[in-house]
Each structure stands twice: as structure tokens, then as C-alpha cells.
Amino acid sequence: MSPRALRLVVAGGASLLALGAGELVARAAYGPGFLSLADPYEHHPYRAGVEYVDAAGHRIATNSLGWKDAAARRAVARDPAPRRRVVFLGDSFTEGLGLPADETPSAFAEAELGGDRYEVLNGGRVSYSPLLEYQRLKRFLAQGYRADVVVVLPDLSDVQDELAYAGEYEYAADGEPLRLRGSGHLPPVRWLYNQLALARWIRRGMQRLAGRTPPAEVAHAGREIVLDAAEAARLRTATALPNAAYLELSPEARAVLRHAWVDHAPSREGWARDGLRRLEAGLARLHTLAARRGMRLLVVVYPLPQVLYTEDDPARYRELRRRFPRWFHEREQLHGSRPSAGATAFRSAIREVCAARSIPFLDLFPAFSEDPDWPLLFLAGDVHFSPAGSRLVGSEIACAVRRGEPAGR
């Protein structure tokens, strides 16, 4: 081998070793997010059959479907007979963000229903919404899996996510969502993203430089969001915020509006109204699919802590401010007054679409509001359910599932 060729081999080997070391460091630094896949149908499902312990000590395990499970790599049977199967679909609240698998709503529902008679699968995933949940259920059924009941838990943040995902999909002539568009979903790009943490760091850096960080990522970053003063002033004085104006906002502003849209009239009358219509259409699509396959659909709405405030209960308002300061600090940048009754519009819209289609509907707002220990139903300083909140949700859903079962079941 010539000296030049030897130098090239050595340089190439050194580069490969450096890249390998960089990849190991990148995977360790990336955290549990590396468990996510870029997927042309479901956008960001978990990998199947993996297990991970994050920096906070939370164990994340997935079954053969890639759904959160108490047992890593558990093979899910296509038919659970003689047991009946209930599938939960939703976002981070349903997945049980920050909770072990046995303290999620689906786990408590299975315990209440009886694991010997029912299998309850946790199909929840952070930042999913009815459009992705429809794709998840469609794939589940296409692969030959069976279910008896599908429980869908729409969330205030779904209004934002439905708008975002809708613009990324290809649709058939009849409006059926097919697959995600864009260069990021081309097979070679998707392979690099799914295999290499370094590729993810590069993509994330490019998004941030372009100001295209997803609002959900900003909202889940675990730090208080501080808006640019000029942008906050524009939001406080706006009379309307249609889609075009909303899309021009910074990722930070859209992250604050992710849940606070219910208390921001320009959003309620603008982009959020469009997102809510898409959410309603997504629930109707899920109902059609479930009915076609002989499954019952149950739609469940639940509150976030900040919408439990009522004008005639100043003590509860003070308790909210004490326990959830971040939310109030963020929200007051765009609107200085106390929370409004805006969440009523969300509940009413879901109730009406369910009534129009005779879909069983479960409203958990009263159960949360009437609980004397309601602050303990949420993680301290967070909007997500605590184990006690998950238990309440799971128990209420189990009762609703039993009520809807045919006689003799």
C-alpha cells in the first residue's frame, strides 16, 4: 500500500471512530426522544420493543406495537379472546407523561375492569391528536388486531396540533388522510433520522435557526416561556388572530397559546376555531372507522388545572396560582386578567359533535372540580395527571365502559 493510500485509510478510520464516538454521545444526550421514530403515517410513534430510563428515573417501555406498556417487548395478541379489549387513544395525558406504565389512566382502567376479563392497551402518545390517532387505529386494524371499545381523550392542545398536522398530510379525493408529505419523510432521510442521533441534532439545529421549532417541543421543554415584549403586546391588543397571523408568531408565542387559547378571544375567534372544527371532523372520522369495524367509541374530555377556576371562588384561584405559577406567568404575558370560561366552548363543541352522531360522551370536568383534593390530581407545577388523577380518569372510564356493555357481558 502506498503512503498516500495508507494516509487515506488512517484518516478514514479516524473519521469513522470520531463519528461513532459522536453518535454515542449524541444518543446519550438526546434522551428518551431517541425512542421516537419518524413515520410517514403516525408522525412520531415510539420504537417497538424498547426500554429506557430517563434522567428523572422514569422507565419507558414499549410493546410489540410500539405503545407504552408495563412490560418491554410484550407481544400483543391480534385477538385477546376470551378477554375483551379496550384501546385508549390520546396525547401525553393518555400516555401518562412522567408516570410509570402502571400509573396511567389505561392501567387503572384495566385494574378496575379486571385484567382477567379485559385487556386495556395504552395507545396514547405525546402530542398526538385525532388525525394521528385515526392513523394509529387504522394501522392497528389493518395489521389484523381486534378491539371491542375505543376510548378517545381529546385535549385542548389538539386544536393546535390538528392544524399543524393537517397541513403535512396528503389526502385522497374523498378527504381520507394518506401519508405525510415533505422531504423529511422520504425513505433515505427517514432512515438517517431513525438510526442516527447526530442526524437528529442537525435537524433540530436547522429548525431552531429557521425559527420552526414545534410549539409542542417548546411547551414540553420544562422551562417557563418568556415572550418577546413587542410580540406579547401585539397579542394583548389584537382583535383577531386568523391562521395566517397565527402562523407568523414565534414558536414561543404559539407554545403559550397551546392551552391558553381558551382565554384569548382573538385566538378563539380565529385560528383555534378552525382547529376545533378539524378536531371535530377527526372525531367523526374515528367514529366512522370504529362503527365500520363493530367497535364502540367513547369520547372523554378532562380539564387542565387552570380551567378549574371559577369567578366566584377566589380561594381556588389563589391555590391555582400557588401550585401552577408557570402557567399563570406565561399566560399573563398575553392577557392580564384572570382565566375566563373559554374552556366551555371546547367542552360544548365536543359534546355537540358526539350528540349529533350518538357517540357516548364522558365529561370529567365535574369529577375533577368536585374532588376536595383536586390540586393533588395533577403533578405539582405541571398540567399532567398525578397518579391520583390517572386513577380517577381510569376509574370513571371503566364505569362508562361497563355501562355500555351488552347485557350478559
Side-chain angles (χ1 to χ4, degrees), residues 65 67 74 76 85-88 106 119-123 140:
L65 294 170
W67 298 6
R74 180 174 75 90
V76 176
R85 175 178 282 160
V86 181
V87 170
F88 276 45
S106 54
E119 178 189 51
V120 182
L121 296 178
N122 184 356
F140 175 84

Side-chain angles (χ1 to χ4, degrees), residues 150-201:
V150 178
V151 180
V152 181
L153 294 95
D155 173 69
L156 292 176
S157 63
D158 287 353
V159 169
Q160 184 180 84
D161 289 336
E162 282 290 285
L163 278 178
Y165 296 134
E168 297 184 36
Y169 268 91
E170 294 177 2
Y171 297 87
D174 61 357
E176 175 74 6
L178 301 176
R179 55 180 291 136
L180 289 155
R181 295 181 286 105
S183 59
H185 295 287
L186 294 174
V189 178
R190 201 168 68 242
W191 184 90
L192 285 171
Y193 182 85
N194 288 340
Q195 301 301 322
L196 301 175
L198 279 173
R200 297 185 178 215
W201 279 115

